[in-house]
Amino acid sequence: ESFIQNFSVLYSPLKRHLIGSDSAQFPSQHLITEVTTDTFWEVVLQKQDVLLLYYAPWCGFCPSLNHVFIQLARLLPTDTFTVARIDVSQNDLPWEFMVDRLPTVLFFPCNRKDRSVKYPEDLPITLPNLLRFILHHSDPASAPQNLANPPTKECLQSEAVFQQGHISHLEREIRKLRAEISTLQRAQVQVEAQLSSARRDEHRLLRQKQTLEKQHSLLQRHSEQLQALYEQKTLELQEVARKLQELADASENLLTENTWLKILVATMERKLEGKDGATALSAPREATSDHPEPPGPPRLPGSSLPPSNSSSTLASERSNENRTD
């Protein structure tokens, strides 16, 4: 029991072994100071106001607070105020500095480290709430007054000047933030205008694309119709050409037959004329039977004319036929 009491008492001579992560892996120049077991005393318990965030990697709400503490570190002067955090899953602390829930925020005022204040659990962790919390608890009026040793007038004046410096610095930072916010708002308006213009262009291009697709489909159907019509007309022309060829062949055959018929008709006419001439000359030839017949081959009745006359007749008929053609 005595050992436990000596071990648990504040500033006990019995020191327990504290497990901590290596402080060399964290950069020194950073807005938020990363605290380990080895650097806890020199960072938190020095002559500066320190706001310490307790977090762990398995805590789902802790990463959402990083941007709030970064903005707070930009607002507050680094020579008089320190924004820090500690991973309690990798670093052990003395019992008096441990917490029972995550995330937890503790404020260690300057020169009053033994009177650290815990941020209210029912209050949302926002930048304005943190600033009000820091200003309230860094005010000397909030510290307990020692009646035996009341603060002197010079101490109060210096504290007031210090607080006034804090307030003026915060006002300047707030003005900068407002200017940045107005710039961001103007940029947001411009970006929204560009986005709306881009959306309108997108809708217009989409309508043009749909119109072009409809026209393409119509042209495709028209092309298919023209292709079908072309094939149909080609077949019809081929059929007409075939019929014309048949007519030309038939006309040539008819012309040939007509030529031969004319030749035959002419030959028959010649034969008939020869028969009539032979009948007319038979009587005188009988009367003058004493006259010998002229030399030459004998002609039978109905025989054709001599070859010379037939050839001349055929040539004249062909010339007449050529002129007719």
Side-chain angles (χ1 to χ4, degrees):
E1 183 179 358
S2 176
F3 174 80
I4 293 174
Q5 289 178 359
N6 291 331
F7 190 78
S8 304
V9 72
L10 188 61
Y11 303 113
S12 171
L14 299 177
K15 302 298 181 181
R16 65 189 183 97
H17 176 68
L18 301 178
I19 300 175
S21 57
D22 187 10
S23 59
Q25 61 181 341
F26 303 108
S28 58
Q29 299 296 330
H30 203 272
L31 290 175
I32 301 179
T33 304
E34 192 73 27
V35 179
T36 62
T37 304
D38 298 334
T39 61
F40 178 79
W41 295 98
E42 59 179 321
V43 173
V44 177
L45 301 180
Q46 293 301 315
K47 294 182 179 180
Q48 278 189 351
D49 293 335
V50 179
L51 187 71
L52 182 61
L53 169 65
Y54 291 80
Y55 77 98
W58 47 262
C59 176
F61 297 98
C62 297
S64 62
L65 302 177
N66 289 332
H67 70 284
V68 178
F69 281 83
I70 290 174
Q71 293 178 1
L72 182 65
R74 288 176 177 174
L75 288 175
L76 299 175
T78 57
D79 55 344
T80 59
F81 198 93
T82 302
V83 179
R85 66 176 187 174
I86 183 170
D87 183 5
V88 294
S89 64
Q90 300 292 331
N91 298 276
D92 291 336
L93 294 177
W95 300 113
E96 61 271 19
F97 298 111
M98 293 300 293
V99 295
D100 56 352
R101 65 188 301 271
L102 295 177
T104 298
V105 179
L106 290 182
F107 178 64
F108 296 87
C110 178
N111 298 324
R112 290 180 287 113
K113 302 297 183 177
D114 55 342
R115 300 203 178 267
S116 60
V117 184
K118 184 179 179 181
Y119 187 84
E121 297 179 358
D122 57 347
L123 188 64
I125 302 177
T126 60
L127 184 60
N129 291 339
L130 285 173
L131 287 174
R132 282 192 291 266
F133 173 74
I134 293 170
L135 290 175
H136 175 70
H137 292 285
S138 62
D139 190 1
S142 62
Q145 299 293 333
N146 190 351
L147 299 178
N149 296 318
T152 61
K153 186 178 180 179
E154 291 80 3
C155 183
L156 292 177
Q157 289 178 355
S158 62
E159 191 69 24
V161 170
F162 180 74
Q163 293 297 329
Q164 188 64 31
H166 268 293
I167 293 172
S168 62
H169 179 76
L170 289 175
E171 288 177 351
R172 288 194 301 269
E173 294 295 333
I174 288 172
R175 284 195 295 269
K176 291 181 181 178
L177 286 176
R178 286 177 179 173
E180 292 179 358
I181 289 171
S182 61
T183 304
L184 290 175
Q185 288 176 351
R186 289 193 298 270
Q188 182 181 4
V189 171
Q190 294 177 359
V191 170
E192 288 177 354
Q194 292 177 358
L195 286 176
S196 61
S197 177
R199 291 192 187 97
R200 288 194 298 270
D201 293 339
E202 182 181 3
H203 292 321
R204 179 174 55 82
L205 291 175
L206 183 60
R207 289 194 298 270
Q208 291 180 359
K209 179 183 177 182
Q210 294 175 354
T211 304
L212 290 176
E213 287 178 352
K214 291 180 181 178
Q215 292 178 357
H216 178 71
S217 62
L218 291 175
L219 290 174
Q220 188 70 22
R221 288 197 296 270
H222 187 61
S223 175
E224 292 176 356
Q225 293 175 358
L226 289 177
Q227 185 68 23
L229 183 61
Y230 172 77
E231 293 176 356
Q232 181 181 359
K233 294 298 181 181
T234 302
L235 294 176
E236 292 179 357
L237 288 175
Q238 291 177 356
E239 185 66 21
V240 169
R242 186 181 61 80
K243 291 181 178 180
L244 288 175
Q245 186 65 33
E246 291 178 356
L247 289 175
D249 296 340
S251 176
E252 185 177 358
N253 293 332
L254 288 175
L255 289 175
T256 304
E257 292 177 358
N258 188 16
T259 303
W260 284 109
L261 286 175
K262 287 181 179 180
I263 293 172
L264 290 176
V265 168
T267 305
M268 294 301 293
E269 288 179 353
R270 292 293 182 183
K271 286 181 179 182
L272 291 176
E273 288 177 358
K275 287 181 180 181
D276 292 339
T279 305
L281 295 176
S282 62
R285 286 177 180 176
E286 290 178 356
T288 60
S289 58
D290 53 341
H291 295 285
E293 294 181 357
R299 285 192 303 167
L300 295 176
S303 63
S304 61
L305 293 176
S308 61
N309 295 332
S310 299
S311 299
S312 62
T313 304
L314 182 60
S316 63
E317 290 295 333
R318 287 181 178 176
S319 62
N320 292 329
E321 182 64 27
N322 290 333
R323 286 196 298 272
T324 304
D325 293 339

